[in-house]
């Protein structure tokens, strides 16, 4: 059983912070709340362990901390208190309302909320394959510009690039914060290509002559033709590309939803991007034991609420940590098995820094933890897939035969024949037991 | 959504209206993509020896902000695949030509600047030098050549430090003044151009090869031409110091066809030369699609261009028929007829020389150890000297000796030579396996003189593994470049130019030379193994059996007359007896 330790740190909110959230500061001492919370948590979950859903050998261990109001930890949820039965836990600017009967303690409610969030973190969503950098490419493919023009529309778009900048960029920045040098690990680009035809076999003859276009679902995977310009950029082949493709077919079309608005287009894109990157939807209300949790709607400019963001960072960090360790273990097994692999000091350094990244004391901010786990996973994969390591693996047997056989086979043949002859003579002498002839005196 | 569409998981199929014209667009942010402009143009000319020149020009322009800015990442007509490569490696301008054949100056006259290109692949890249030192530039150059070789399916990744030159004198007129750049020039003289280069080149066009003029490019006929060159030229120009900049991509195909190969008459039609139909030749995305046919200098009535209703303009003193392909009536009729071919044939066989300056490059005294590389510069003019720059980049294994450079001028028609006037020499000596030799000489060629520039060289011995497959063929040394400064004088003939301004510089690409290096015996490793093993086997086997075999004596028995083996201890007794 391998364990990933994740810190859950809360801070008692100050006057100003709680007032921002429409609540009041919690009048509880931090150490007391912490010990109560830990006790409650252990009561609900034995040993404070949550098993990971996709990695059955792994568990998540929660480390709970409640910081006092004057403690300067940043980027942690803030605990406030609201009127009536509500208690509020503030994540960023949005608040999770935790409500229950008045007799429940703060600690119990908080423990229920923590358990729920921990279970969300242990169940990461599927997402696009991991890469150190991503590129989001919004493409508009038009099969026949003349058809589009004849209907009175421009065969190009202006809303696409601006939707990318205004809506997708903040979304992506919320998921993957920009690095220290100002660059981001997600790159945005857009393109328009014309005379792009759907792949082979997608549209039959009847489709082309029909008045409306209907594609059965099983033909959808073949829509992307072999000559579609969807290759990653030749300039940055290490970036994985996430494609947002808008395809306009040549068949006469009827407008169902005018998408001239960039906001609607952006909403569609962000929905798909949430699925692509594995952002779990955390909305509405949930009942955990005796506590009800109400999650706020995002309604923000970024398309992702702070709770969802926090859960995403946490679950991704856990997944990346597990994958890093598994990759490093695979590397160790490989090196042990293949004794003629050259392992350069670069690889050793990458392995060590990947290991440091996942085993060091985790910070309290989940976005930092996420960044570190991503960097560690990228380094582990770079070490594992390093092209220098394959050097000596190909040493075919034919070469050995070709060089050594002509040298040694004639020699061996002679030696063997002589050995055989000597053996026979020796055996004959033993059997015959020849007495030396007596010399004449 | 089907999860298995991993990276393309977000294909969205909509029946969608993009933007209604004159509607919501006005309320949105700047529609920068609407200002990408694409134009296509075909220029047709009849060369002095009767061959037909087709020059396809596809120009895509887009607004361009400072390098690395976000606005550059929105691609419309400009191809994203090329644009991202240029942005990433900080390329201010790029000239990539893929050529087969040689522009025959003596038969075809002066080419429009850029129509003539050296044979093989030729890459000229101007890289921005701000915030990049030499090491970073080297790494970026490697990345650029690898990316370009992927984009154009050519082995451009062989352009490493051993065959890259930064000429000091050549291409100075192309140097941009907007920002500090360094020119890197590499050449692969041996590359063959084929369909697998044309297809990805065609994919960079907005209409691809599915519509417009590019749809008429037929690989079978194009690569059969006497001279063909497929070019990709990128440059950035800014209106004023901080004004708006435009990035321009010019894709050009230049081909010289011989109409007599298709039929025995000089009449030709587009379909007979290119074997593609000519109806609907314009691309819907082009802002303008034009055809210019230069009418030959023949008496009226001896030739007829169809369609016969054309407007004519005068460009560079030549009468040019212009057509707007967007309004081309849907007929397949684009042909040239010669009802009376006699004047044409007369002019082919009996015309004044089309150029007044020729260049010839050759090897003399050449063997497998040393030789002399010579370039003849001939000024046919009666009056007026010419200034020429000769640039030559030789691989490192051709060791030129600067002290052997001679420049002799012979007056045409006489034999007495005079020493020529060399205005300057710039020489970079090559370092084995690290960098090539670059020699640039600026000379004056007096009127009516033939001037020879000669330099002696020695060939190095290459290692066993440095030879190419088919080592006996030798190595092609890329063509030298002669840059001729016109200084305001117009040369004898200048065919139709796309834009009427003539440039002040003419570039003549000299011939490629082929050098045979001494080839080692490639069968030696096999010989060594066989020989050693044989010797070892014989020697060892013999010695081994000798040392271990027994000497046996025998005597002939008296009665039986057969040999009888005598045992060793008997020998002694026998002697005693």
């Amino acid at each position: 059983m391998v364990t990933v330790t994740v810190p859950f740190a809360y801070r008692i909110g100050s006057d100003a912070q709680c007032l921002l959230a429409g609540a009041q500061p919690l009048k509880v001492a931090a150490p007391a709340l912490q010990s109560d919370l830990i006790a409650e948590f252990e009561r609900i979950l034995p040993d404070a362990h949550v098993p990971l859903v996709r990695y059955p050998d792994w568990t998540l261990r929660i480390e709970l901390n409640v910081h006092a109001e004057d403690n300067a930890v940043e980027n942690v949820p803030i605990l406030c208190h609201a009127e009536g039965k509500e208690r509020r836990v503030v994540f960023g600017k949005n608040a999770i309302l935790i409500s229950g009967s008045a007799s429940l303690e703060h600690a119990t409610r908080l423990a229920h909320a923590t358990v729920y969030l921990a279970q969300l973190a242990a169940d990461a969503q599927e997402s696009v394959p991991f890469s150190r950098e991503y590129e989001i490419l919004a493409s508009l493919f038009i099969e026949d510009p003349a058809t589009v023009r004849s209907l009175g529309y421009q065969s190009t778009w202006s809303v696409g690039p601006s939707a990318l900048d205004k809506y997708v960029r903040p979304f992506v920045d919320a998921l993957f914060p920009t690095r220290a040098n100002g660059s981001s690990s997600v790159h945005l680009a857009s393109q328009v290509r014309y005379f792009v035809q759907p792949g082979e076999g997608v549209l039959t003859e009847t489709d082309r002559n029909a008045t409306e276009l209907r594609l059965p679902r099983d033909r959808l995977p073949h829509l992307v033709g072999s000559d579609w310009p969807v290759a990653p950029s030749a300039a940055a082949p290490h970036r994985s590309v996430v494609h947002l493709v808008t395809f306009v077919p040549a068949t006469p079309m009827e407008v169902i939803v005018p998408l001239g608005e960039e906001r609607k287009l952006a909403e569609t894109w962000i929905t798909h991007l949430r699925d692509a990157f594995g952002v779990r939807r955390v909305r509405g209300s949930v009942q955990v034991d005796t506590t009800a949790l109400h999650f706020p709607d995002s309604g923000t400019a970024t398309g992702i609420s702070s709770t969802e963001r926090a859960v995403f960072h946490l679950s991704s960090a856990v997944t990346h940590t597990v994958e890093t360790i598994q990759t490093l273990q695979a590397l160790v097994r490989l090196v042990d098995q293949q004794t003629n692999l050259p392992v350069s000091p670069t690889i050793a350094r990458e392995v060590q820094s990947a290991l440091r990244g996942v085993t060091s004391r985790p910070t309290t901010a989940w976005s930092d933890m996420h960044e570190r786990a991503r960097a560690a996973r990228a380094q582990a994969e770079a070490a594992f897939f390093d092209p220098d390591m394959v050097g000596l693996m190909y040493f075919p047997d034919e070469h050995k035969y070709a060089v050594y056989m002509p040298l040694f086979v004639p020699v061996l043949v002679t030696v063997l024949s002589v050995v055989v002859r000597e053996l026979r003579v020796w055996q004959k002498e033993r059997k015959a037991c020849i007495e030396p002839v007596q010399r004449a005196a | 959504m089907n999860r298995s569409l991993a990276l393309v998981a977000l294909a969205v199929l909509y029946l969608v209206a993009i933007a209604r014209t004159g509607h919501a667009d006005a309320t949105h942010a700047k529609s920068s993509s609407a200002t990408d402009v694409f134009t296509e143009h075909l220029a047709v000319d009849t060369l002095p020896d009767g061959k037909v020149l087709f020059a396809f020009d596809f120009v895509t322009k887009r607004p361009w902000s400072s390098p690395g800015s976000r606005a550059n990442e929105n691609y419309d007509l400009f191809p994203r695949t090329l644009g991202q490569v240029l942005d990433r490696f900080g390329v201010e301008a790029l000239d990539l030509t893929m050529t087969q054949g040689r522009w025959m100056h003596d038969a075809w006259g002066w080419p429009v600047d850029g129509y003539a290109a050296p044979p093989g692949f030729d890459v000229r890249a101007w890289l921005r030098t701000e915030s990049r030192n030499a090491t970073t530039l080297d790494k970026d150059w490697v990345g650029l050549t690898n990316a370009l070789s992927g984009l154009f399916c050519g082995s451009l990744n062989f352009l490493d430090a051993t065959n890259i030159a930064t000429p000091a004198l050549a291409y100075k007129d192309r140097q941009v003044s907007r920002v500090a750049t360094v020119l890197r020039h590499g050449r692969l003289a041996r590359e063959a151009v084929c369909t697998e280069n044309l297809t990805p080149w065609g994919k960079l066009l907005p209409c691809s090869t599915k519509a417009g003029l590019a749809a008429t490019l037929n690989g079978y006929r194009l690569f059969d031409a006497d001279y063909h060159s497929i070019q990709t030229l990128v440059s950035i120009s800014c209106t004023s110091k901080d004004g708006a900049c435009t990035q321009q991509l010019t894709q050009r195909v230049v081909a010289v066809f011989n109409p007599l190969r298709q039929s025995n008459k000089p009449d030709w039609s587009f379909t007979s030369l290119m074997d593609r139909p000519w109806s609907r030749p314009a691309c819907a995305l082009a802002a303008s699609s034009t055809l210019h046919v230069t009418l030959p200098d023949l008496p009226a009535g001896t030739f007829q261009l169809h369609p016969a209703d054309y407007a004519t303009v005068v460009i560079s003193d030549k009468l040019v028929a212009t057509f707007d392909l967007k309004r081309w009536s849907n007929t397949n009729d684009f042909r040239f007829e010669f009802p009376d071919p006699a004047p044409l044939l007369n002019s082919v066989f009996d015309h004044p020389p089309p150029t007044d300056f020729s260049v010839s490059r050759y090897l003399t005294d050449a063997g497998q150890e040393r030789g002399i590389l010579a370039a003849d510069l001939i000024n046919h003019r009666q009056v007026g000297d010419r200034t020429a720059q000769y640039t030559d980049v030789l691989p490192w294994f051709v060791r030129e000796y600067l002290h052997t450079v001679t420049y002799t001028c012979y007056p045409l028609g006489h034999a007495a030579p005079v020493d020529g006037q060399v205005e300057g020499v710039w020489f970079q000596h090559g370092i084995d396996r690290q960098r090539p030799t670059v020699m640039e000489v600026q000379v004056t060629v007096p009127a009516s003189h033939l001037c020879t520039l000669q330099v002696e060289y020695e060939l190095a011995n290459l290692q066993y593994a440095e030879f190419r497959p088919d080592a006996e063929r030798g190595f092609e040394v890329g063509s030298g470049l002669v840059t001729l400064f016109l200084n305001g004088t117009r040369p004898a003939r200048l065919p139709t130019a796309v834009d009427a301004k003539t440039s002040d510089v003419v570039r003549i690409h000299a011939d490629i030379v082929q050098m045979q290096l001494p080839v080692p015996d490639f069968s030696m490793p096999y010989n060594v193994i066989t020989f050693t093993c044989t010797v070892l086997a014989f020697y060892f086997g013999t010695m081994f059996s000798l040392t271990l075999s027994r000497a046996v004596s025998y005597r002939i028995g008296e009665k039986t007359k057969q040999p009888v083996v005598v045992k060793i201890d008997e020998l002694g007794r026998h002697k005693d007896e």
Side-chain angles (χ1 to χ4, degrees), chain B residues 94-99 116-125 141 156 159 171 184-189 191 230-233 478-479 481 509:
Chain B
L94 174 75
D95 288 353
L96 168 63
T97 63
M98 307 184 278
T99 315
F121 278 34
D122 189 83
V123 176
R124 281 184 294 278
W141 172 261
L156 290 168
L159 291 175
Y171 297 106
R184 293 215 169 185
H185 183 198
R187 188 173 285 167
L188 291 171
E191 283 293 305
I230 300 170
Q231 307 183 355
T232 312
L233 317 167
S479 62
L481 171 68
H509 297 278

Side-chain angles (χ1 to χ4, degrees), chain A residues 152-187:
Chain A
Y153 297 103
Q154 272 186 17
S155 61
T156 184
W157 64 0
S158 59
V159 297
S162 52
L164 269 187
D165 279 328
K166 262 168 74 172
Y167 296 100
V168 177
R169 181 90 252 166
F171 170 75
V172 153
D173 283 342
L175 287 187
F176 304 100
T178 48
R179 295 191 272 239
N181 61 354
S183 68
S184 167
S185 49
V186 180
H187 182 87

Side-chain angles (χ1 to χ4, degrees), chain A residues 33 36 40 87 101-111 291:
Chain A
L33 184 56
D36 284 343
E40 269 303 309
R87 300 288 179 264
S101 63
S103 59
L104 275 182
E105 295 284 333
H106 295 291
T108 317
R109 290 199 195 102
L110 201 54
T291 311

Side-chain angles (χ1 to χ4, degrees), chain B residues 92-110:
Chain B
E92 176 77 10
L94 174 75
D95 288 353
L96 168 63
T97 63
M98 307 184 278
T99 315
Q100 196 130 18
R102 197 165 61 85
W103 182 273
M104 320 265 286
H105 292 85
D106 300 336
W108 300 340
W110 297 121

Side-chain angles (χ1 to χ4, degrees), chain A residues 331 334-335 338-344 388-393:
Chain A
L331 177 61
L334 175 72
V335 172
Q338 305 280 348
T339 47
N340 59 350
L341 271 184
V343 181
S344 64
D388 289 341
M389 254 198 335
V390 244
L392 289 177
M393 290 210 51

